[in-house]
Amino acid sequence: VGSTVVKCHVYDRAAAVRGSSYRKVESLYPHPGWVELDPEVLWSQFIGVIKDTVQAAGLHMRQIAGLGISTQRGTFITWHKKTGKPFHNFISWQDLRSAELVNSWNKSLLLKVIHVIFTVLHFLTGSDRYLAPSFLTFSTHQTSMKLSWIFKNIHEAEEAARKNNCCFGTVDTWLLYRLTKGSVYATDYSNASSTGIFEPFTKCWNPTLCSLLSIPMSIYPPVKDTSFNFGSTDSEIFGVPIPIMAVVADQQSAMFGECCFHPGDVKLTMGTGGFWNVNTGEHLFASRGSLYPLIGWKIGEEVVYLTEGSISDIGTAIKWAQDIELFTNVGETAEMAQSVADSQGVCFIPGLQVSGDDPYLCASFMGLKPSTNRNHLVRAILESIAFRNKLLYDIIVKKVHIPLQTIRADGGVSNNSFVMQMTSDLISKQIEKPANVDMSSLGAAFLAGLASGFWTDKKQLKKLRRIETVFEPQKDSEEYRPAMDAWLQAMEHSPHW
């Protein structure tokens, strides 16, 4: 369940896709900056794609060995424990309703005091556990602030929480709850750690943060392993019970699908947004600024940590360009970009910078001339993706003190040969692209297959990987210097617009 589509694949033992189906996610925009999903619509789409996929594969539900669920992160809902009735729609990770709350907290004296306390603790103990709170800032992407907004603005939720009757769940928790007719209430470590409310060092929901933001601790679900028997779907839903064998957050799932099992393995997903993930093994790496630590997955005793950096507006910018008819088919964009020698000085400024968090920033083009045509505009959009990949890669190299190994790309935009080649040139590294770029589905299947014994171990999974293309650096990164400098200059002119 992603930000733009709900899709399902049926995989066989060779990890080949036997059937697939998808439906577009219908986002709601009740107020400017608010982004919601109707839980009932999402539920019917979810059930619909599973039924369609099994049918397309020419199979019967009783032939399905297990279900793995990979979901968008940070999108959440609260509901009444006894009735199961939601207090509001799903609030998307893209939603900006908490912007004022975020700004007031980030400017508050209390936050400055917290920074001082944890800076001293980090200095005295040397423990990384105190590093993150020493420069804590809130952002609109975090679940915590939007949840705080809920308890300030939705009286029914606040009242139910006071009586211990309020449940909180990200998309996975809600789907588990519905699939089991309310008998399973849980999430996994990857989804929990992606909310920003779960403390990856202690592997617990963070009581300090919750008391700071007046969020009741009673609302959180128990946290289970990622590859785990969560129970079975109610037999009324699909005609037979289907074991739910994995629940995982989409970026962590893509990482698993790419078989990035070793410290230093890197995964680059380019979908709605862009996500660079580095496997840091058993080491939880706290960093300042644009990188943040996550739990990748927990399987039995094994806990794998990741460091992540993200880029907004990748797929969204390309989709917008298609909507305004800069091109008709996404497949032609690489050709359009290659048809001109450069963007003729045109720079595309995305809605959010790599490390910035200005929720009000608009996207823009700079450097337009009478001779600018649609090929220049398309090239400028694609170049901005590669430039942001380069910026984030440089931050990772500087701050993550683990030798980087293989870089593997996935997501819809990884099908764009122009973006892939330019990124490879800029970072001077080869990038592998798999035959199947839908890695978050495959990761969920791999995790479910391991839990159900469908596959035996990670060694077997590695043998199932299929690489379609390897992009090797073809140009010296310095050749892009003038264009990238112009783009960086344009970025400096764009904030607060």
Side-chain angles (χ1 to χ4, degrees):
V1 182
S3 306
T4 49
V5 292
V6 179
K7 56 187 152 193
C8 178
H9 296 303
V10 172
Y11 296 94
D12 61 19
R13 279 186 204 281
V17 176
R18 293 284 294 275
S20 53
S21 171
Y22 78 94
R23 298 187 186 182
K24 283 188 178 173
V25 169
E26 296 170 29
S27 295
L28 307 170
Y29 305 96
H31 299 286
W34 291 30
V35 188
E36 297 182 353
L37 304 171
D38 182 317
E40 290 307 319
V41 171
L42 193 69
W43 170 247
S44 67
Q45 288 183 320
F46 179 78
I47 298 304
V49 291
I50 293 176
K51 289 180 175 175
D52 290 351
T53 303
V54 174
Q55 194 177 358
L59 299 168
H60 188 276
M61 285 292 178
R62 60 175 175 269
Q63 291 171 275
I64 301 300
L67 175 65
I69 303 171
S70 152
T71 53
Q72 57 174 287
R73 305 173 305 175
T75 297
F76 73 93
I77 195 167
T78 63
W79 67 93
H80 197 284
K81 192 180 276 183
K82 290 182 178 158
T83 65
K85 189 174 178 297
F87 295 118
H88 51 86
N89 283 336
F90 271 108
I91 295 176
S92 166
W93 63 273
Q94 300 160 305
D95 186 281
L96 300 176
R97 75 187 64 198
S98 62
E100 282 177 29
L101 206 54
V102 166
N103 287 341
S104 67
W105 261 105
N106 286 344
K107 289 173 186 168
S108 70
L109 179 63
L110 181 53
L111 198 61
K112 289 182 177 70
V113 171
I114 289 165
H115 288 171
V116 171
I117 292 168
F118 282 98
T119 301
V120 171
L121 283 171
H122 179 248
F123 176 75
L124 294 175
T125 64
S127 167
D128 263 6
R129 189 182 161 187
Y130 301 120
L131 183 59
S134 71
F135 51 82
L136 170 73
T137 50
F138 292 105
S139 94
T140 54
H141 283 172
Q142 289 164 337
T143 307
S144 52
M145 274 297 169
K146 285 177 278 214
L147 196 49
S148 179
W149 185 95
I150 289 293
F151 290 114
K152 283 182 169 63
N153 292 277
I154 298 179
H155 173 66
E156 294 91 333
E158 191 262 336
E159 195 179 1
R162 222 177 321 120
K163 295 175 180 169
N164 209 0
N165 276 331
C166 179
C167 294
F168 159 87
T170 40
V171 176
D172 59 300
T173 305
W174 168 253
L175 291 174
L176 269 178
Y177 188 81
R178 290 293 296 264
L179 284 167
T180 59
K181 294 268 175 89
S183 68
V184 176
Y185 177 49
T187 187
D188 93 297
Y189 283 90
S190 68
N191 276 293
S193 83
S194 302
T195 60
I197 314 171
F198 189 80
E199 170 55 75
F201 284 94
T202 57
K203 300 186 197 63
C204 297
W205 297 105
N206 190 327
T208 315
L209 183 66
C210 290
S211 91
L212 205 60
L213 300 177
S214 309
I215 301 170
M217 283 296 288
S218 62
I219 66 171
Y220 297 112
V223 185
K224 308 286 185 192
D225 281 9
T226 309
S227 180
F228 179 77
N229 187 344
F230 285 88
S232 291
T233 63
D234 188 278
S235 52
E236 276 182 23
I237 298 170
F238 299 116
V240 291
I242 295 173
I244 305 163
M245 303 307 280
V247 159
V248 60
D250 59 3
Q251 295 311 317
Q252 288 94 316
S253 187
M255 189 86 176
F256 202 88
E258 291 272 29
C259 298
C260 291
F261 300 142
H262 306 289
D265 282 350
V266 182
K267 182 252 345 155
L268 163 60
T269 295
M270 292 183 286
T272 307
F275 297 89
W276 283 82
N277 295 85
V278 183
N279 182 326
T280 58
E282 296 171 3
H283 178 62
L284 183 58
F285 178 81
S287 161
R288 284 180 179 275
S290 37
L291 304 179
Y292 40 92
L294 291 171
I295 295 174
W297 51 84
K298 182 175 180 296
I299 305 172
E301 293 304 302
E302 179 198 45
V303 181
V304 170
Y305 294 103
L306 311 179
T307 286
E308 180 175 277
S310 65
I311 307 167
S312 301
D313 293 342
I314 286 188
T316 19
I318 294 172
K319 169 85 171 61
W320 166 79
Q322 187 175 15
D323 290 345
I324 64 159
E325 298 177 2
L326 277 183
F327 53 86
T328 46
N329 181 346
V330 176
E332 64 191 291
T333 54
E335 214 174 287
M336 289 173 75
Q338 281 152 354
S339 74
V340 287
D342 52 43
S343 70
Q344 221 184 46
V346 176
C347 297
F348 175 71
I349 312 304
L352 283 171
Q353 293 123 304
V354 175
S355 58
D357 197 5
D358 175 356
Y360 303 109
L361 186 65
C362 296
S364 59
F365 281 105
M366 288 193 189
L368 299 174
K369 302 166 192 68
S371 56
T372 301
N373 62 35
R374 59 180 72 200
N375 293 343
H376 296 124
L377 298 178
V378 167
R379 183 170 177 127
I381 292 171
L382 300 187
E383 281 183 349
S384 82
I385 297 169
F387 291 150
R388 284 178 288 157
N389 279 338
K390 164 71 172 162
L391 288 183
L392 202 43
Y393 177 79
D394 286 351
I395 292 169
I396 289 166
V397 169
K398 190 175 166 189
K399 295 191 175 179
V400 179
H401 309 299
I402 294 174
L404 300 184
Q405 308 296 331
T406 331
I407 299 175
R408 294 168 181 158
D410 61 84
V413 182
S414 70
N415 287 320
N416 190 295
S417 58
F418 180 85
V419 172
M420 291 292 287
Q421 187 57 58
M422 190 169 167
T423 300
S424 172
D425 291 345
L426 283 167
I427 67 174
S428 307
K429 285 270 189 184
Q430 69 171 40
I431 306 173
E432 291 179 6
K433 184 177 93 76
N436 168 13
V437 296
D438 207 347
M439 279 295 146
S440 46
S441 294
L442 183 61
F446 276 172
L447 286 155
L450 286 179
S452 60
F454 191 76
W455 291 299
T456 49
D457 54 27
K458 289 184 193 156
K459 212 180 287 178
Q460 189 186 1
L461 299 182
K462 279 188 193 171
K463 289 176 187 163
L464 301 174
R465 283 195 72 237
R466 299 284 173 267
I467 301 167
E468 185 182 89
T469 321
V470 177
F471 290 87
E472 302 272 359
Q474 289 177 0
K475 279 187 186 178
D476 191 299
S477 62
E478 280 303 304
E479 289 187 43
Y480 295 98
R481 175 64 51 201
M484 189 159 177
D485 284 347
W487 179 78
L488 288 167
Q489 201 180 346
M491 290 283 278
E492 280 169 25
H493 287 294
S494 67
H496 316 300
W497 182 257

